[in-house]
Structure formats: structure tokens, C-alpha cells
Amino acid sequence: MTKKKDIPKFIDPKAEVKAKGSNARYKEAVKINLLDQQKKIKVRTANIEDYEQVVGLSKLCFPKMPPWTRGQFKSMIDTFKEGQILIDINGKIVASSSSLILEFDEYNDTHNWREITNRGYITNHNPEGDTLYGIEMMVDPEYRNMKLSRRLYEARKKLVVDQNLKRIAIGGRIPGYAKHAPDITADEYVDKVHERAIFDPVLTAQMANGFVLIRLIPDYLPDDLESGGYATYLEWTNIHYSPKKKKPSYDPYMRVCTVQYQLRQIKHFEDFATNVEYFVDVASDYRSDFVVFPEMFTNQLLSFLPQKGPGTTIRMLSEFTQQYLDLFSGLAVKYNTNIIGGSHIMLEGADLFNISFLFKRDGTVGKQYKIHITPHERKWWGVKPGNKVEVFDTDKGKVAILICYDIEFPELARIARKKGANVIFVPFCTDERRAYLRVKYCSQARCIENQVYVVTSGCVGNLPFVENMDVHYAESAIFTPNDFHFARDGIAAECNANIETMIFQDLDLNNLQKHRESGSVQPWTDRRKDMYTLKYTEDDQEIDI
């Protein structure tokens, strides 16, 4: 007969816990089970490598609507990565949200999705704005019982608090409306959802997350048939917002002055300094925010130097670099104006560069190298090209400088616009009218293509004894885009040909913004980035323009 103690013992873990409390054997079993079951939830910003998964998520959530294109997705990440938020569980993307920052007062109450997102590229993102605008949120249907939308809304709220923004604004869908139309209007449907008489999967969730319903927007997204094209406009207010912490906004008005400078023989540097100060003084009397001088106008200094062949003589200009910098930096501070100091050819090491300096009225200095060198500059002087498009922060907003020949290459202006420039200054030096007209027509084209202002400044007069600086032609001008907000012919002001003079013009950045949002044409936002792209490399990083 088998003894009782020899019968195999089959352990019931639950019974064992009840009988003995916790024991090592059961604790090990529980630990293994938990590791098998746990979900690793990560809230993070999007990368371009996430594109295919995000498209798959979009097709699950919005099967009747087109997903992001790769160009749109990359542009959103490049423009405002912090606003593109994902949730992944064990490496699978199960939720996402997209947003941008806007100066919201610049948009009207009946804005639509296409306008508010610049066709999905969010290139209208404004880091100086006051509102985080949510443009999309998606949650995988299989994971909708996990309150993932709440995590996304909390991430947005944290972003708003961290960046000291006033609010979150949303143009929200009402996908439940299709089941009730046409029995009730969209207004009636929204009222009933607001009263909790009808459940809407989006609007109800948004109100549960602290968003206040403000109004209904018609024709917001025509492709959204479930919502009848409507959107609800909702806001969440940041109670921690402090205007004192906000970055200073730029005055949208700037007065620019361009100098059409006559080259003539002088005897020493002091003559040059006297001429320059005269123009800066007059510009200051007219309260100009920017004064622009021409390209290579410091070559006037060659008129009193011994001529030893063009390649040797031009390098002698570097002897005056420190005097030139001291002069313009001092004038900018003394006369309280920002000065684009034309351009100056100078040595850096053994290499010769054509450089335009921006002398700010706060005493700081920036510089832009000429990027495209003309055949004559190479042939006569051996000038080397620069490799970077600079955009400068000033007390009147962001500006760029493209030197003469550079304005004839549309890619550079695209890069400047992408980096936030509203005004492009073009110091130029052309010998005869056809050469000047190349600068003029290309400047006007860059205004239209990029929806920016362009200000040109050229030399007139002659330097008979300086090789490659014999004769000059200019009609310096201030150009605008061609639309109702601006001068009829796109020319705000223009100098008479071949005389020494200066012109002034007030530029309104508000008009520029209106033109970008609702212009007759919008070349910047209507580019076919699904068909072609421009790639620019800066500091070893590739940027999609």
C-alpha cells in the first residue's frame, strides 16, 4: 500500500499563498507573469522614421481621409518637433497628436484647416506666438480604452505651460454628426453634445479634458464627411500664463532707407568715413530702422592706393578692415539705426572673401559671406565663396542679406525664408543696365516666390583708375510682393537711375502676414513638396526647404 507521504504533491499557487502567505516559489511565478504582461508606454516626439507607422495609424482612424504625405510629416518635424507627439507601446505607435504655435489674433474666426496649417506643412509656425493650435489627434481603435488621448492632452498642456503660451486652441471633429444629419443641424448637434444628451467620441472627450466650446466653424475640412465639413472651436486656458515672461514681440513696422552711393576718387579713409556718416545721419533724422549701403563700395578706398595689378591691389583693402568695422559699428550705436554696411572684400587667412556686415544699433555685428562668386570676381581677384545663409535676429524681426549675384539664385532666398526672414537686403554692384536689370527682376521674383520684402542698394559713378570698378549703373529700390496689400507694381520706392540719392519706405509686416494667409496667390505654401524638394546642408545637418 502506498504511504500518504509518497503521493506526489500538486501545488495550487493560490491555495499555497492562502496557506503559507508569500513564498519564494510563488513570488518567482508572479514576477515572471508580470514581465510577460507589462506594457511599456512611452510618450515622445516624432521622428521621420515613424512615418510609415503614423500613416498606418491614420488609415485606421480616418479611413476616408488622406494621411500625411512624407513631405508634410518631415516639414512638421523640422519646423516644430516638440509639437509632434507620439505614444508607443512596446515599439508600436498607437496614438499621435500634431500642433503648431500661432499668433492667434492674426487669424479670423472662420479660418479653415488648410489655412491654419499651411496645407499641412505648418511653415506658418510662429515661435513668438501665443497659442498652441492642435491640428490632429489619433488613437488606435484597439487601444481606446486606455485613456491615451488624455496623455496626449496632458503633454500638450505641459508644452503650453513650459513655453508660457496663453492657450491651446483646437479645431475639433464631430464624427458622430453624420448619424444625425440631416434630422438636426450641426449647431443643434453640438448643443446636444454639450448638454450630454448625445455622445460624440471626439467632442465629448475634449470637453472631459477641460476644453471649453467656443463656436462652430463651417467648411473647416471639406474632406471630413463624418463631420459634415464642420469643426468645433475649443480652448484650454493656461492659468499659469505670465505676459512678463513672454519673449518680446517685434514691432511690425520698420522704416528702411537705401543709399545709392556714388563712387568717386578720394584721398584717404577719412573722406570715405565723412561720406558714409553723412548718409547715416540723414537716415537717422528720418528715424530709419535700417540703412543699406551697396556691395563693394569700400573699393572706393582703392582710388588712393597704388595699383599693383588687380589681384594684389584688392588684397590691400584688408588693411582697412578694422577701421571699416570700427566706423560702422560706432555709427550704428551713435545714430541708433541698424546698418547693412554694403560689402567689404577682405582676407581671412590666405583666402579672399566678399562679406556683408550687419551692424546692429545695440553694438553687435553679424556677417554674411557672398555665396555665388561672379566670373569677374574669380578672374580678377580670386574671391572664394561662403557656404551658409545667415538669418539675423534684430529689434525689428528676422532679416537676411544676399549679396548681388546671390539674389539670382532662388534657392538662397528659399532658405532665408525657411529660416524666418521677412526682409532680404541686397547690396549690389553692377556695371551697366542689363546687369542691373538681372538684379532687379530676380529681386522682384524672390518677393513673389517667398512672400517677403527685398531692399536693394547699388553704386553709381566711376573709378577710372581701379581695374574691374570702371563704371556703374543702379536704380536702387524697395520691392514688395505683387498683391492688393502692396504697391500696384510691386515697387514701394525706387531711385532715379545713376544719381547719388537715398529713398525711404515704411514696411508693414502685418501686410506681409495677411498676404501669406489670404493672398490672391500663395506661392510659398502652394509649392508641390510632394513632387520636388530643396535640401540645404548647414552645420552638417540636412534641412528640407
Side-chain angles (χ1 to χ4, degrees), residues 411-429:
E411 298 86 355
L412 298 189
R414 288 283 196 216
I415 294 165
R417 169 74 163 86
K418 170 72 173 183
K419 295 176 73 174
N422 292 312
V423 183
I424 299 175
F425 294 104
V426 182
F428 71 91
C429 181

Side-chain angles (χ1 to χ4, degrees), residues 51 123 142 155 174 187 234 278 300 363 374 380 451 493 512 521 525:
Y51 174 68
T123 48
E142 291 186 14
I174 44 173
D187 291 282
L234 304 100
Y278 162 75
Q300 185 179 30
T374 64
W380 288 93
Q451 300 178 278
L512 211 57
V521 293
T525 57

Side-chain angles (χ1 to χ4, degrees), residues 97-110:
S97 76
S98 298
S99 59
L100 72 159
I101 296 175
L102 301 170
E103 188 64 42
F104 198 59
D105 289 343
E106 295 175 353
Y107 296 83
N108 60 47
D109 291 347
T110 57

Side-chain angles (χ1 to χ4, degrees), residues 104-112 115 133 214-218 220 231 233:
F104 198 59
D105 289 343
E106 295 175 353
Y107 296 83
N108 60 47
D109 291 347
T110 57
H111 63 266
N112 57 45
E115 174 191 356
Y133 195 102
I214 306 296
R215 59 180 175 272
L216 196 64
I217 308 175
Y220 184 80
Y233 175 69

Side-chain angles (χ1 to χ4, degrees), residues 35-51:
L35 286 172
D36 290 341
Q37 295 298 317
Q38 72 180 358
K39 292 180 172 65
K40 296 182 180 178
I41 300 178
K42 187 183 298 183
V43 180
R44 61 176 176 83
T45 54
N47 300 304
I48 189 61
E49 293 78 16
D50 299 314
Y51 174 68

